[in-house]
Amino acid sequence: MLDKIRNKVLSGKRLTEADALKLFQSNDLFPLASLASYVAEEKNGKKAYFVRNRHINPTNICVNRCRFCAFSRSIGQDGAYELTIAEIIKKLKQGRAKSKIPFSEVHIVGGLHPEWPFTYYLELVSTIKKNFPKLHIKAFTAVEIDYFSKISGLSLEETLTSLKRRGLGSMPGGGAEIFAPGIRNRLCPEKISGERWLAVMAAAHKVGLRTNATMLYGHIESYEDRVDHMMKLRRLQDRTGGFQAFIPLAYHPKNTDIQGSYTSGIDDLKTIAISRLYLDNFQHIKAYWVMLGEKISQLALKFGADDIDGTIIEEKITHSAGALTGEQLTAEQLSDLIIKAGRIPVERDSFYRKVRRAQ
Ligand code: V47
Ligand code: SF4
């Protein structure tokens, strides 16, 4: 089965959706690993990347209340929280004061707050930039950008450029979930459609913002739905070239409305490898250690991944849904994990450039 697909890959031909589906249906894991590793090495050599970053979630209050999301709350509900801009700056200052080498990126995503105005987010970005001019701000999912555009009355492009002007550096890939409308309606009926998510990303790329793309897998979707999702991402990437990394997000079932079970290690590795083979126009495949666990993300480096993300420091979304991992790893731990997978660890900035420091 894999022979035909291997020949295609080795001769630089694109895989079809039918090829990707066949790979999902197969349990021939080792040939899949070696083929995906071959492609990863063609693209990124023996390098595997990590970043010194910190996550911040300004609020968990969200009007969407997606059924797979254990992080969100309604206004006034037990456990709901809101951070002021001053509190966020304090968190950033504390984190940077504690470590000898400060994190280079802050990753900010949160709920869609029913009362906060767009000016909160503009001010948040400009205040961070004022306090930490060198810190890269990777913030707001396509879902949040769409919401900001609605509450501000601005077009998508105006919303994005006004954030960019204040210091937004790039965007994470969350909120994509699964594009197929039938599944999406059951998972998150209030969330923007897959088409809209793609339209927001197209607008971001148009104004010069690089973004990531994700896919939430392991809940109620089929392999066909995963392939359909990746097909739509590959198609947009052909048009814009604005995606940096693809990140398959392993579903976590605790405290969610749809419950279900954790993904298997086999499925995690298969999904990484198939995404590496099918998404030939994505430079990077990220094995997000918080969701995969340290051991599976390390193995993922043998299945086509070339990035394991970062130091994180504080993580709420996966941990609300029963993450089995800790909340942070040091740069040394990330590096060690990569070396033991036989790869060369590279500390990167938010655009995958090697970080160089004066000795
Ligand atoms: O948008 C929510 C997902 C996303 C659950 O771009 C869940 O570099 C699993 O997008 N089980 C946020 N996943 C995380 C995210 C991300 C993380 C790291 C790096 C990057 C990047 C992006 O988490 C949400 C949603 O798709 N999510 N609930 C859950 N129960
Ligand atoms: Fe809100 Fe995002 Fe959670 Fe959905 S996944 S409820 S949009 S915070």
Side-chain angles (χ1 to χ4, degrees):
M1 186 282 305
L2 211 77
D3 281 351
K4 215 179 102 215
I5 293 177
R6 184 191 297 111
N7 290 338
K8 261 189 168 176
V9 171
L10 297 182
S11 58
K13 288 206 189 88
R14 243 186 182 186
L15 296 192
T16 62
E17 289 72 60
D19 293 331
L21 190 59
K22 270 203 197 115
L23 292 175
F24 271 119
Q25 286 158 346
S26 155
N27 278 321
D28 226 357
L29 222 57
F30 293 130
L32 185 62
S34 87
L35 198 56
S37 274
Y38 165 82
V39 173
E41 283 191 39
E42 287 287 294
K43 288 197 182 293
N44 297 295
K46 289 244 176 239
K47 294 189 286 252
Y49 295 93
F50 69 94
V51 61
R52 286 181 205 258
N53 64 355
R54 194 210 198 283
H55 281 207
I56 300 267
N57 308 113
T59 181
N60 62 351
I61 297 174
C62 186
V63 298
N64 271 1
R65 306 305 314 270
C66 302
R67 300 188 58 225
F68 57 79
C69 177
F71 162 73
S72 66
R73 295 286 183 278
S74 296
I75 205 160
Q77 196 187 343
D78 243 19
Y81 74 85
E82 297 166 333
L83 297 178
T84 62
I85 294 175
E87 283 167 332
I88 292 176
I89 298 295
K90 194 167 153 205
K91 273 180 187 280
L92 293 174
K93 280 195 173 143
Q94 277 168 349
R96 285 169 83 81
K98 265 194 218 146
S99 52
K100 267 204 302 258
I101 304 174
F103 46 85
S104 62
E105 173 186 282
V106 60
H107 170 130
I108 308 174
V109 296
L112 311 181
H113 196 290
E115 290 171 358
W116 284 2
F118 182 45
T119 47
Y120 169 93
Y121 301 94
L122 292 173
E123 207 184 313
L124 174 62
V125 172
S126 47
T127 313
I128 293 176
K129 220 46 203 178
K130 203 172 82 213
N131 281 272
F132 313 98
K134 286 195 182 143
L135 183 62
H136 178 98
I137 305 174
K138 174 176 118 202
F140 313 129
T141 63
V143 175
E144 290 171 278
I145 296 293
D146 169 79
Y147 188 67
F148 300 162
S149 145
K150 285 199 181 95
I151 60 176
S152 66
L154 298 173
S155 69
L156 282 180
E157 285 185 23
E158 287 163 345
T159 307
L160 288 159
T161 43
S162 48
L163 287 164
K164 188 167 179 252
R165 232 181 286 126
R166 281 165 180 81
L168 179 67
S170 63
M171 280 167 58
E177 325 312 358
I178 281 284
F179 295 144
I183 298 295
R184 197 172 184 86
N185 284 337
R186 282 166 62 197
L187 285 181
C188 44
E190 306 299 329
K191 192 167 248 166
I192 54 168
S193 67
E195 283 95 79
R196 183 68 176 167
W197 187 96
L198 290 160
V200 174
M201 286 310 194
H205 299 166
K206 189 165 168 210
V207 306
L209 285 165
R210 308 298 306 270
T211 76
N212 289 334
T214 59
M215 172 177 76
L216 182 67
Y217 69 95
H219 37 84
I220 53 168
E221 88 292 1
S222 64
Y223 288 149
E224 283 84 353
D225 296 323
R226 294 189 200 180
V227 173
D228 170 75
H229 188 93
M230 292 197 287
M231 184 264 287
K232 287 171 179 152
L233 291 175
R234 189 170 83 173
R235 211 194 276 157
L236 179 59
Q237 179 75 331
D238 276 341
R239 274 179 44 211
T240 67
F243 289 119
Q244 300 207 103
F246 175 69
I247 312 147
L249 300 175
Y251 171 61
H252 282 60
K254 295 275 183 294
N255 312 314
T256 73
D257 279 352
I258 50 173
Q259 299 179 332
S261 43
Y262 288 95
T263 57
S264 72
I266 300 291
D267 197 19
D268 294 334
L269 294 171
K270 235 194 216 184
T271 307
I272 291 276
I274 297 166
S275 65
R276 178 59 294 164
L277 294 173
Y278 179 80
L279 294 174
D280 56 353
N281 53 4
F282 277 65
Q283 187 67 25
H284 303 289
I285 301 292
K286 188 188 284 189
Y288 180 40
W289 70 263
V290 173
M291 289 197 190
L292 293 181
E294 288 164 55
K295 291 185 179 182
I296 294 289
S297 58
Q298 185 179 42
L299 274 170
L301 297 174
K302 295 275 186 206
F303 279 76
D306 63 279
D307 184 2
I308 54 172
D309 204 84
T311 45
I312 311 288
I313 303 180
E314 190 180 3
E315 204 285 332
K316 292 185 186 297
I317 297 173
T318 325
H319 283 79
S320 313
L324 304 168
T325 47
E327 280 192 78
Q328 58 178 299
L329 286 177
T330 63
E332 292 67 33
Q333 286 170 317
L334 292 165
S335 201
D336 189 49
L337 207 142
I338 291 170
I339 291 169
K340 287 184 176 145
R343 300 272 150 180
I344 302 162
V346 177
E347 183 186 339
R348 63 168 176 85
D349 69 6
S350 306
F351 299 116
Y352 287 84
R353 294 173 302 210
K354 184 180 162 70
V355 171
R356 293 175 201 282
R357 280 193 193 86
Q359 295 298 309

